[in-house]
Amino acid sequence: MTDPTFAKNQPIGKRQVWEAWKHVRGGGKSTGVDGLSMDAIASDPGRYLYPLWNRMASGSYMPPPVREKRIPKGDGKERKLGIPTILDRVAQQVIRAELEEEVEPRFHPDSYGYRPGRSAHDALKQCHARCRGSWYVIDLDIRAFFDTIDHETMLSVLRKHTDKKHILLYCERWLKAPMMKEDGTLEARDRGTPQGGVISPLLANLYLHEAFDLWLWETEPEVEFERYADDIVVHVTSREQAHRLLNRIRERLGEFSLSLSEEKTKIVYCWKGTRPTDVGEGCDRSFDFLGFTFRPRYMAKRAGKGGGLWIFSPGISHKSEKRITATLRELRIFRWQSLTLAEVSRELAPMIRGWLGYYSLYCPSGMNGLWWRLNMRLIKWARRKFSLATLGAAFVRIQRICREQPHLFPHWSRGFTI
């Protein structure tokens, strides 16, 4: 039982904890090492939030270990997450809200990730616009960024941006909180800030603000870039400038205990129809950024216009398409025999709308193969549901429904019909 007589020597109010709880409650519901669920806290908030405030305000709050969770990446590897307890997320949100208010105005305008009022689409639009003018792009990939942030350097960066002792106190404790591995053992950490934490994205942004954004702006003010967390694209005017700047970036990141993934970092020639084809020999001609592939694409002529032309533009990446296809495969839609087609639509609609909303921003025709695969799964569902002899008969059945109810599925209403 927490002693309510603890001296409240940290300037943290009950209202801050309550607002943080409301914010966390609207997010993910994964439980931490204590197994305490969102619903359990919501059933009696005072029972849990008052002791949390009491400990935070007295400086006695110690974060529990984060729970290790591994999720597959598109390249066959795994990404290691650290899932805090729900109450620890509330505590992190208390500090994040206060720190964010202090440092947000200082961030570079070309930093987009995990910032209020900014989105991945904003970064993509800026990147697309700049690729029209720049001849070359440096596609940077930082090796295991979240896992290699140096704690002492991170705390040094924090001290440059805030002198609030309670922020420094708790951020240091979160950085050094151990991780409970999947086998139940505890792993001490001397570097990294676990993906999955509420405070981690802000700390990561602050780290790269010092390591990259501010440095590049001060030393190469004419160079433009887009950064979304640790995904960075730099625009340059020549191949020579690209090689020189890449070497300087490599050295700069090394000063912050970071390194580039040499097999993924590359210099890309932004070729389009008005540029000579032989200038960028030896360079890549495509790069991935935020789920899109930027590459030369042929734009066919319109009626009454001249011939077609080649442009350098984004479209859904092969990796993103492969990931969505894997999701559809795992759903095993053909087995949803107890549902009507309208119920199938209600189950799938949130995902379809999300994919449409994000990936159809550029080159929506690049998603045709994806929608064909989804429609084929609906046809296979119909064959089993209505006991039809052939796929052809199921095709005719779904095609008729599509014509009669073109708005039944979100992708049908956007023209991706059968």
Side-chain angles (χ1 to χ4, degrees), residues 131 154 160 173 194 198 206 217 253 267 307 371 400:
C131 281
M154 180 75 257
K160 288 180 62 176
R173 289 180 182 177
V198 173
L206 200 56
W217 179 72
L253 293 179
I267 296 172
W371 303 130
R400 186 178 71 250

Side-chain angles (χ1 to χ4, degrees), residues 58-70:
S58 65
S60 65
Y61 176 74
M62 297 297 294
V66 294
R67 177 174 62 85
E68 181 186 61
K69 182 179 180 180
R70 296 178 180 271

